[in-house]
């Protein structure tokens, strides 16, 4: 795949001396509900739980329930546990579509509004997805403070067969989504910045830094999926897609390096000049954004248009980055990529300058999934799933490429989305050179 815009190979050697010390920034955080501006870019977060047929211990006052097999879940925000009961509007309904939620945390579920969901079955296999239009505003306790929160609900899974006992396996997931965030702004070196904090884990903290689930298998064939809360940062008037980081404890902003502390209970974001021994880091590209995670998760570094880069000593993994490039017609493009399980660690040690390589050259890859091959070999399937990916120089995966500005472009554009390049085409031939199939890949 040819991107069709000029590429500049930049090796940045950062000067580490003569920098003016930055001041400590105590930034107040303002609570906002996402519904206040539905068209704006907002942080998001979600979490899932497996509900149980057993009601958790406690002095609960429960309403009369319709379904023969209600399910129970506990939603924890900060230091507050909310009881959730999954029920049906009518016994004949094919799946759980009513939620009883102890919204005011008083142990009485009879004085709270009932949430009714829309059932969306999938074919004849008794799979369902249930959406709830109503979002819920609650209050919870964190660090001795009562804080507001807004969230939405969903249900999905497979219902039990009729006549199954209460101990029969259930494949039902209760989902919650954060519908609120914190916003702030500050000025540094004459530039104004906007910030948003999102609760990626839906636990009410807004301060969980990036990490990787220890049980997750990291594959060379897929981008790394890390977890944590999010920090959106921009110097523009409005946020846009791609302005988010997974939250880190260090922020490189231009020529400044800060330690980052979020105190949700006090509603403050503190940016303090980084102290201690930091190792210089050389970057093979000039990124708009870059995210690094230390091997033990002790540190995570967020970089926004860095003019200097220093990091604590340790082994570092590339999580993600974004690059900006200008095409031949003056069109501005943004490329995003994420590290894979095969992306090597970079060691940073005192007395040496570490080099972080990423970006060009990019290699296009067309691959048939192992599942498709196995299905053809064992079950005689006549079709296979073919995937198209692009990898960078350290086996990172390109995750997005889109035009940000410009009316003209020397790049062929997608018919379905004029801010993306045209979808790649493919031709499959036999060993003798006979064409057997051809077509076009799709985004997604």
């Amino acid at each position: 795949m040819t991107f069709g815009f000029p590429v500049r190979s930049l090796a940045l050697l950062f000067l580490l001396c003569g920098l003016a010390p930055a001041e400590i920034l105590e930034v107040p955080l303002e609570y906002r509900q996402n519904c206040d501006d539905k068209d704006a870019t907002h942080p998001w977060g979600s979490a899932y739980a497996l509900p149980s047929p057993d009601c958790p211990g406690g002095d609960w006052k429960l309403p009369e329930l319709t379904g023969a097999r209600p399910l129970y879940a506990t939603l924890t925000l900060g230091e507050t546990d909310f009881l959730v009961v999954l029920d049906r509007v009518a016994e004949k309904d094919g799946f759980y579509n009513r939620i009883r939620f102890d919204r005011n945390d008083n142990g009485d579920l009879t004085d709270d509004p009932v949430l009714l969901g829309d059932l969306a079955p999938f074919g004849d296999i008794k799979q369902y997805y249930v959406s709830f239009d109503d979002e819920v505003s609650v209050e919870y306790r964190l660090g001795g403070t009562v804080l507001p929160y807004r969230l939405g609900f969903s249900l999905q899974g497979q219902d039990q067969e009729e006549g199954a006992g209460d101990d029969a396996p259930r494949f039902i997931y209760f989902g919650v989504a954060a519908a609120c965030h914190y916003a702030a702004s500050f000025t540094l070196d004459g530039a104004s910045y906007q910030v948003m904090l999102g609760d990626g884990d839906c636990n009410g903290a807004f301060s969980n830094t990036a990490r990787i689930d220890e049980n997750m298998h990291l594959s060379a064939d897929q981008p790394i999926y890390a977890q944590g809360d999010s920090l959106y940062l921009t110097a523009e008037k409005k946020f846009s897609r791609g302005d988010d980081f997974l939250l880190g404890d260090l922020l490189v902003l231009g020529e400044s390096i800060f330690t980052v502390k979020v105190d949700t209970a006090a509603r403050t974001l503190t940016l303090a000049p980084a102290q201690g021994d930091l190792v210089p880091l050389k970057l093979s590209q000039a990124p708009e954004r870059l995210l690094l995670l230390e091997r033990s998760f002790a540190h995570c570094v967020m970089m926004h248009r860095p003019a200097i880069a220093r990091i604590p000593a340790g082994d570092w993994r590339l999580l993600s980055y974004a690059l900006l490039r200008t095409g031949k017609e003056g069109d501005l493009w943004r490329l995003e990529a994420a590290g894979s399980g095969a992306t090597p660690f970079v060691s940073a040690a005192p007395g040496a300058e570490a080099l972080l390589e990423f970006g060009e050259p990019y290699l296009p890859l067309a691959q048939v999934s192992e599942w498709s091959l196995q299905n053809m070999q064992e079950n005689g399937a006549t079709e296979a799933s073919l995937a198209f990916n692009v990898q960078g120089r350290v086996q990172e995966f390109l995750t997005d490429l889109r035009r940000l500005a410009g009316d003209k472009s020397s790049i062929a554009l997608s018919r379905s989305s004029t801010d993306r390049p045209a979808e790649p085409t493919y031709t499959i031939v036999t060993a003798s050179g006979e064409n057997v199939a051809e077509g076009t890949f799709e985004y997604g």
Side-chain angles (χ1 to χ4, degrees):
M1 178 181 180
T2 301
F3 297 132
F5 52 89
V7 175
R8 294 168 293 182
S9 177
L10 299 179
L12 303 183
L13 179 61
F14 295 117
L15 301 178
L16 305 180
C17 304
L19 296 176
E23 61 183 39
I24 296 178
L25 300 175
E26 290 280 356
V27 185
L29 298 173
E30 178 185 350
Y31 172 78
R32 293 182 182 177
Q33 299 181 145
N34 294 355
C35 61
D36 291 339
D37 190 354
K38 294 183 179 180
D39 295 330
T41 299
H42 298 123
W44 62 274
S46 63
Y48 289 88
L50 291 171
S52 168
D54 302 317
C55 183
D59 186 17
W60 306 108
K61 184 178 179 181
L62 301 176
E64 182 177 350
L65 302 176
T66 300
R69 298 188 300 271
L71 297 177
Y72 303 87
T74 300
L75 169 62
T76 300
L77 294 175
E79 297 146 9
T80 303
D81 294 331
F82 297 91
L83 179 64
V84 180
V85 181
L86 311 182
D87 192 20
R88 305 175 195 243
V89 175
E91 182 64 39
K92 63 179 178 60
D93 291 337
F95 196 70
Y96 299 89
N97 56 355
R98 176 163 59 185
I99 288 181
R100 308 274 191 172
F101 175 57
D102 189 14
R103 183 182 307 192
N104 53 17
D105 187 35
N106 65 351
D108 183 356
L109 278 73
T110 66
D111 62 356
D112 299 296
V114 177
L115 300 176
L116 302 179
D118 295 322
L119 280 173
F122 294 93
D124 299 325
I125 58 176
K126 291 196 172 182
Q127 290 278 357
Y128 295 88
Y129 178 80
V130 187
S131 60
F132 296 82
D133 292 335
D134 294 333
E135 295 176 345
V136 178
S137 293
V138 300
E139 291 183 335
Y140 68 104
R141 294 178 295 279
L142 180 66
T145 302
V146 177
L147 297 170
Y149 202 93
R150 189 172 179 86
L151 48 87
F153 297 106
S154 65
L155 289 171
Q156 58 182 302
Q158 184 176 12
D159 203 8
Q160 289 180 332
E161 295 291 338
E162 292 184 9
D166 286 343
D167 59 347
R170 290 180 173 87
F171 303 98
I172 298 172
Y173 295 88
F174 166 64
V176 294
C180 58
H181 63 277
Y182 283 94
S185 62
F186 64 90
T187 300
L188 178 67
D189 297 332
S192 297
Y193 294 93
Q194 293 189 75
V195 171
M196 290 190 294
L197 287 171
D199 187 14
D201 304 324
C202 282
N203 62 4
F206 292 87
S207 58
N208 298 133
T209 53
R211 63 196 181 280
I212 300 173
D213 190 324
E214 61 182 9
N215 297 318
M216 180 175 293
H217 172 68
L218 300 184
S219 170
D221 297 328
Q222 293 181 346
I224 295 172
Y225 176 73
Q227 299 169 291
D229 292 333
S230 60
L231 183 145
Y232 284 60
L233 176 69
T234 183
E236 306 298 327
K237 294 182 179 180
K238 291 185 178 181
F239 289 97
S240 61
R241 186 191 181 283
D243 284 335
D244 60 307
F245 289 105
L246 280 175
L247 182 63
D249 65 312
L250 289 166
L251 171 64
V252 178
L253 186 57
E255 296 183 353
S256 300
I257 304 175
F258 296 100
T259 58
V260 179
K261 180 181 178 182
V262 177
D263 189 333
T264 309
R267 300 195 191 191
T268 58
L269 168 67
T270 302
L271 304 177
Q275 304 294 326
D277 295 329
L278 298 176
V279 177
L281 179 66
K282 185 178 179 180
L283 306 178
S284 65
Q285 305 283 326
E288 183 198 22
R289 310 172 75 77
L290 189 141
L291 186 67
L292 295 176
L293 181 62
E294 196 270 332
R295 185 189 292 269
S296 67
F297 312 153
H299 297 287
C300 179
V301 178
M302 307 173 287
M303 298 188 188
H304 178 81
R305 299 177 181 176
I308 180 174
R310 289 180 292 165
I311 57 178
D315 294 332
W316 291 86
R317 184 192 295 275
L318 173 66
L319 285 187
S320 63
Y321 65 83
L323 301 174
L324 294 180
R325 293 289 186 268
T326 301
K328 295 179 180 179
E329 298 291 340
D331 42 331
L332 179 64
W333 291 79
R334 177 189 175 96
L335 179 150
E336 297 180 23
S340 72
T343 301
F345 284 93
V346 173
S347 295
E353 183 181 62
L355 171 63
L356 179 67
E357 294 189 275
F358 59 95
E360 295 93 345
Y362 289 102
L363 176 67
L365 298 172
Q367 299 169 303
V368 179
S369 70
E370 293 184 7
W371 178 88
S372 291
L373 288 176
Q374 183 178 3
N375 195 32
M376 295 179 73
Q377 295 168 353
E378 298 179 0
N379 303 321
T382 58
E383 293 185 354
S385 174
L386 188 64
F388 180 86
N389 287 302
V390 178
Q391 285 189 300
R393 71 164 68 182
V394 289
Q395 293 184 267
E396 74 273 27
F397 277 87
L398 188 150
T399 56
D400 194 46
L401 177 61
R402 66 179 65 229
R403 184 174 59 171
L404 301 182
D407 298 329
K408 298 180 180 180
S409 178
S410 61
I411 303 171
L413 301 176
S414 168
R415 293 182 179 180
S416 60
S417 177
T418 56
D419 63 348
R420 292 181 180 272
E423 291 81 351
T425 59
Y426 65 87
T427 301
I428 300 175
V429 299
T430 65
S432 61
E434 178 187 358
N435 286 11
V436 294
E438 60 183 24
T440 303
F441 289 97
E442 298 178 356
Y443 284 106

